[in-house]
């Protein structure tokens, strides 16, 4: 697939100041960067974003871990000390030139530094200011750590996931952070469109908790309108608390088979050669009332043949089913390769890292970028030259201490 040139991307020319760290805020700014925005990552001198040292493995790329590169590729880095008046003056100058600012500090922290929304709006009334918290800015949980697993736990998702006798089960990735980051990016884009219509900036707010509630909107809406009865997780191959048989994942003779909704139980049983379910035929309600009994019979049958055997029987009959792939199998699939989802990013034109592109294509073109995550403070001079040419030179006067710390 062709790669869209930077100058043609929808957000080309937009300037984003990203004060956030870890995953949720930087993910939002990554989405904007891929769409063409110039994202300037504002980091503390010396240590930078603490995510630089949060290792998921021992993979290190030019002094930073693979997680940091995945989240912060295609950005620039500016080190600034919020306690230093020269750096604060520099940031106020950049805010005056920026279109978007993002932060994900605990409520009250950025305000005490003088860069809360009201302070920033006074400098630049057209700015779109994005904030992510753990649980909102008010309420009894506002001061609690906004951490992904904890947000999953408080949202009910851990309780909902898995089969009836399973303990609470977290998802295998930082879903709260990523959903909150995507929600913030969506809100920022909407606010930018609104600014183009009426000329006003906006404060876009979300939280890990709100993102997790929204993630469950389908089932929570049912819960709020059915007398608030608690759903019963399936005792056999649980996959969705509100869906009946055969919905679930079944062990085959050599792997696993996922079965979704089917046209009818009698058709599925006929294709699979399953006996003993005849009394449930024609009774749609039975798929929920007798869910576990039906699924046990199907599970026994599925275990007798290989995954490929079942796919050969079920897919031509338009039964919704799939093999269960691990990462190597998924990455080796022609479906993955045909979408051109990988890219190589580079730091200093030499150090290379395999990465994934964003999931959006515009006019048939992908939004790849070869730029790796920046070294701490690496782009300070270029940023000041482009956006604040009258700011004191980096090696003189008030700015010298900040330069040395970076």
């Amino acid at each position: 697939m062709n790669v869209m040139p930077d100058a043609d991307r929808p957000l080309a020319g937009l300037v984003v100041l990203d004060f956030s760290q870890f995953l949720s805020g930087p993910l939002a700014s990554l989405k904007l960067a891929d769409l063409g925005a110039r994202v300037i990552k504002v980091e503390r001198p010396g240590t930078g974003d603490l995510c630089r040292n949060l290792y998921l493995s021992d993979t290190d790329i030019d002094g930073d871990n693979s997680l940091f590169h995945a989240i912060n590729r295609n950005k620039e880095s500016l080190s600034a000390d919020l306690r230093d008046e020269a750096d604060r003056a520099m940031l106020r100058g950049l805010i005056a030139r920026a279109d978007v600012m993002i932060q994900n500090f605990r409520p009250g922290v950025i305000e005490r530094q003088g860069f809360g929304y009201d302070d920033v709006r006074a400098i630049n009334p057209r700015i779109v200011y994005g904030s992510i918290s753990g649980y909102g800015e008010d309420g009894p949980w506002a001061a609690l750590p906004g951490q992904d697993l904890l947000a999953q736990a408080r949202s009910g998702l851990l309780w909902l996931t898995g089969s009836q006798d399973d303990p609470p089960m977290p998802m295998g990735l930082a879903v709260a952070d990523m959903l909150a980051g995507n929600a913030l990016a969506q809100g920022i884009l909407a606010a930018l469109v609104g600014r183009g219509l009426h000329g006003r900036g906006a404060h876009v707010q979300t939280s890990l908790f709100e993102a997790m509630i929204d993630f469950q909107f389908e089932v929570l809406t049912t819960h709020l309108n059915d007398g608030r009865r608690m759903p019963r997780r399936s005792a056999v191959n649980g996959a969705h608390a509100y869906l009946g048989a055969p919905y679930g994942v079944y062990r085959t003779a050599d792997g696993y088979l996922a079965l979704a909704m089917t046209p009818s139980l009698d058709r599925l049983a006929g294709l699979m050669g399953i006996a003993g379910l005849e009394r449930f035929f024609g009774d749609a309600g039975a798929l929920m009332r007798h869910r576990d009994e039906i699924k046990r019979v199907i599970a026994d049958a599925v275990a007798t043949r290989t995954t490929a055997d079942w796919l050969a029987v079920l897919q031509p009959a338009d039964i919704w089913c799939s093999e269960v792939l691990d990462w190597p199998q998924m990455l080796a699939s022609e479906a993955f390769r045909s979408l051109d989802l990988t890219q190589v990013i580079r730091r200093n034109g030499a150090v290379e890292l395999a990465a994934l592109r964003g999931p959006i294509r515009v006019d048939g073109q992908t939004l790849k970028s070869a730029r790796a995550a920046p070294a701490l403070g690496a782009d300070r001079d270029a940023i000041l030259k482009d956006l604040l040419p009258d700011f004191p030179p980096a090696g003189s006067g008030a700015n010298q201490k900040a330069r040395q710390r970076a």
Side-chain angles (χ1 to χ4, degrees):
M1 294 183 185
N2 293 329
V3 178
M4 177 168 281
D6 292 345
D8 294 342
R9 300 191 183 194
L11 300 185
L14 204 76
V15 176
V16 178
L17 294 180
D18 183 8
F19 285 69
S20 65
Q21 58 181 345
F22 291 115
L23 179 52
S24 61
L27 178 66
S29 66
L30 174 64
K31 301 302 181 183
L32 303 180
D34 282 347
L35 287 166
R38 180 179 189 177
V39 175
I40 299 169
K41 188 172 178 64
V42 179
E43 302 184 75
R44 68 188 71 184
T47 57
D49 184 343
L50 297 178
C51 187
R52 288 182 181 270
N53 297 303
L54 181 62
Y55 281 78
L56 298 182
S57 70
D58 59 0
T59 304
D60 185 280
I61 300 94
D62 198 31
D64 292 308
N65 61 72
S66 55
L67 173 63
F68 183 81
H69 279 280
I71 304 165
N72 292 289
R73 58 177 179 76
N74 202 18
K75 302 177 186 178
E76 301 172 56
S77 174
L78 172 74
S79 60
D81 187 345
L82 298 186
R83 298 165 298 181
D84 182 90
E85 187 50 42
D87 280 1
R88 291 168 62 83
M90 173 186 67
L91 292 173
R92 287 192 290 268
L94 291 172
I95 286 169
R97 298 289 308 276
D99 298 284
V100 176
M101 176 175 161
I102 296 174
Q103 64 87 20
N104 65 347
F105 293 95
R106 286 197 200 187
V109 172
I110 195 75
E111 289 80 5
R112 289 193 293 272
Q113 298 292 342
F115 293 100
Y117 175 59
D118 290 338
D119 301 299
V120 168
R121 181 177 57 177
I123 299 170
N124 182 353
R126 286 175 50 81
I127 201 162
V128 173
Y129 187 106
S131 299
I132 298 179
S133 62
Y135 305 95
E137 292 72 30
D138 302 299
W141 293 350
L144 296 176
Q147 196 278 333
D148 187 275
L149 180 62
L150 308 184
Q152 287 191 48
R154 291 190 174 99
S155 73
L157 182 67
L158 270 66
W159 165 81
L160 183 67
T161 305
S163 298
Q164 181 176 299
D165 296 328
D166 291 332
M169 297 183 67
M171 297 191 71
L173 69 169
V175 62
D177 278 323
M178 287 187 280
L179 289 170
N182 276 292
L184 187 69
Q186 177 184 346
I188 288 171
L189 291 171
L192 288 169
V193 172
R195 188 182 73 176
L197 295 172
H198 52 59
R200 298 187 302 273
H203 187 188
V204 180
Q205 297 164 279
T206 191
S207 65
L208 305 189
F209 187 60
E210 287 169 284
M212 293 308 298
I213 299 304
D214 179 65
F215 188 41
Q216 302 171 89
F217 81 95
E218 175 196 12
V219 291
L220 276 173
T221 299
T222 299
H223 176 63
L224 291 171
N225 289 280
D226 69 352
R228 301 205 176 193
R229 294 191 301 271
M230 297 294 283
R232 183 176 62 88
R233 296 186 299 177
S234 176
V236 180
N237 302 344
H240 194 298
Y242 282 103
L243 292 181
Y247 202 90
V249 177
Y250 297 80
R251 184 184 291 276
T252 67
D254 64 347
Y256 291 89
L257 177 76
L259 280 175
M261 290 79 72
T262 61
S264 65
L265 182 61
D266 55 339
R267 183 157 183 249
L268 179 69
L271 288 165
M272 300 182 72
I274 298 174
L277 297 178
E278 290 79 9
R279 66 187 183 280
F280 303 122
F281 292 173
D283 183 358
L287 300 182
M288 194 65 175
R289 291 195 311 271
H290 300 281
R291 176 174 59 183
D292 293 336
E293 181 180 353
I294 294 169
K295 291 174 77 171
R296 284 192 181 95
V297 173
I298 294 173
D300 289 343
V302 172
T304 63
R305 300 176 65 177
T306 67
T307 304
D309 286 343
W310 286 122
L311 292 175
V313 170
L314 299 176
Q315 283 185 325
D318 199 29
I319 301 297
W320 291 7
C321 60
S322 173
E323 65 273 53
V324 177
L325 303 180
D326 59 22
W327 284 345
Q329 291 169 327
M330 179 273 292
L331 292 171
S333 70
E334 181 58 33
F336 177 85
R337 290 195 298 269
S338 68
L339 289 170
D340 191 23
L341 284 159
T342 58
Q343 62 180 343
V344 175
I345 57 178
R346 296 176 177 85
R347 181 183 278 180
N348 300 324
V351 178
E352 294 188 351
L353 170 68
L356 298 173
R357 66 165 177 85
I360 294 173
R361 285 169 280 135
V362 179
D363 294 333
Q365 298 173 300
T366 65
L367 302 178
K368 292 185 178 183
S369 174
R371 186 175 194 166
L376 177 59
D379 305 290
R380 183 187 185 103
D381 290 342
I383 292 166
L384 294 181
K385 179 180 178 182
D386 292 346
L387 300 177
L388 291 181
D390 296 329
F391 194 75
S396 66
N399 211 25
Q400 188 172 15
K401 290 192 298 180
R403 171 72 173 179
Q404 291 170 345
R405 285 193 300 272

